[in-house]
């Protein structure tokens, strides 16, 4: 699996601190997210906004499920809520979760994108406009192409893109589409992604992103 790496010139320039981590997951996502969120220390500095595809007619139990697995506060997102550092936000069922330019959330019931509402693409695209180079977007396991176009926008706006290694995914289609369309700064299994993500708590810049699994 090839990864897109920083050029020698860009690798020597400190990158801005990540202020928002946007994550998209679908089939198999609960296990992958448990690995990522479980690795985060209580002083993790960035906010996290997560779209996990679940049936629209089913109550979301994600806040209840992940609160005991995560040292950070976990919330289901509310419309117009300001984005607070060190907080995990999950999209509500059947609502798109968008990031506004003033760094608050907006909920929408516009048409599904890639057959999904909430849409990973819409989260990534709106977050990229608001956070630009201070955004990290992560595509995890899933069975659709949702997230691939949004990841392109993230990279175009200067943000970082990490993707789960398709070989480690329960459903490899979503990470495979993301790599094919957008490339990635890091492609790795969940454990390696978790270690790299947790490291953000202890550094304000990331000069290198390695692809070790």
């Amino acid at each position: 699996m090839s990864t897109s790496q920083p050029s020698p010139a860009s690798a020597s320039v400190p990158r801005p601190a990540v202020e928002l981590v946007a994550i998209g997951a679908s089939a198999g996502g609960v296990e992958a997210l448990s690995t990522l969120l479980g690795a985060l220390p209580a002083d993790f500095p960035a906010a996290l906004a997560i779209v996990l595809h679940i049936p629209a007619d089913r109550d979301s139990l994600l806040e209840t499920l992940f609160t005991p697995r995560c040292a950070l506060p976990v919330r289901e997102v509310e419309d117009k809520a300001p984005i607070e550092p060190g907080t995990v936000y999950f999209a509500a069922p059947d609502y798109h979760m968008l990031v506004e330019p003033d760094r608050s959330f907006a909920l929408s019931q516009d048409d599904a994108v890639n057959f999904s509402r909430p849409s990973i693409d819409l989260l990534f695209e709106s977050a990229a406009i608001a956070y630009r180079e201070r955004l990290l977007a992560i595509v995890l396991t899933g069975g659709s192409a949702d997230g691939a176009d949004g990841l392109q926008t993230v990279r175009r706006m200067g943000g970082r893109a990490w993707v789960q290694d398709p070989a480690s995914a329960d459903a490899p289609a979503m990470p495979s589409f993301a790599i094919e369309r957008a490339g990635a700064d890091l492609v790795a299994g969940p454990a390696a992604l978790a270690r790299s993500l947790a490291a953000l708590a202890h550094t304000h810049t990331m000069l290198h992103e390695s692809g070790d699994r």
Side-chain angles (χ1 to χ4, degrees):
M1 178 68 62
S2 62
T3 64
S4 172
Q5 297 293 341
S7 67
S10 64
S12 63
V13 178
R15 301 188 72 175
V18 169
E19 295 180 359
L20 178 67
V21 180
I23 304 175
S26 190
V30 169
E31 182 177 354
L33 284 168
S34 294
T35 299
L36 263 64
L37 298 182
L40 300 182
D43 62 349
F44 188 77
L48 299 98
I50 302 173
V51 165
L52 176 62
H53 293 157
I54 58 177
D57 59 353
R58 188 175 299 174
D59 290 339
S60 174
L61 301 175
L62 297 177
E63 183 175 345
T64 301
L65 177 65
F66 282 97
T67 292
R69 305 183 186 191
C70 184
L72 301 172
V74 179
R75 301 174 185 168
E76 183 176 295
V77 71
E78 296 181 358
D79 193 39
K80 308 305 181 187
I83 299 175
E84 299 179 359
T87 304
V88 178
Y89 298 94
F90 277 98
D94 206 30
Y95 283 89
H96 294 307
M97 178 169 66
L98 307 174
V99 175
E100 298 281 27
D102 67 355
R103 300 187 175 186
S104 65
F105 287 112
L107 301 184
S108 164
Q109 282 198 306
D110 287 346
D111 291 344
V113 176
N114 277 315
F115 308 101
S116 300
R117 188 172 64 201
S119 160
I120 300 167
D121 279 330
L122 292 185
L123 169 62
F124 284 1
E125 289 165 2
S126 61
I129 293 170
Y131 283 85
R132 300 179 70 89
E133 71 277 5
R134 296 185 181 275
L135 174 67
L136 165 62
I138 304 176
V139 175
L140 299 176
T141 177
S144 73
D146 196 14
D149 290 342
L151 204 65
Q152 282 185 311
T153 302
V154 170
R155 301 198 83 194
R156 188 170 63 249
M157 300 294 285
R160 296 164 230 190
W162 294 359
V163 180
Q164 181 176 351
D165 185 348
S168 72
D170 287 350
M174 200 157 82
S176 294
F177 276 119
I179 294 167
E180 178 183 343
R181 295 186 190 175
D185 300 295
L186 172 63
V187 176
L193 290 175
R195 290 194 298 271
S196 295
L197 189 59
L200 292 177
H202 305 294
T203 179
H204 291 291
T205 59
M206 294 179 60
L207 305 182
H208 302 279
E209 287 153 322
S210 65
D212 61 323
R213 289 165 172 75

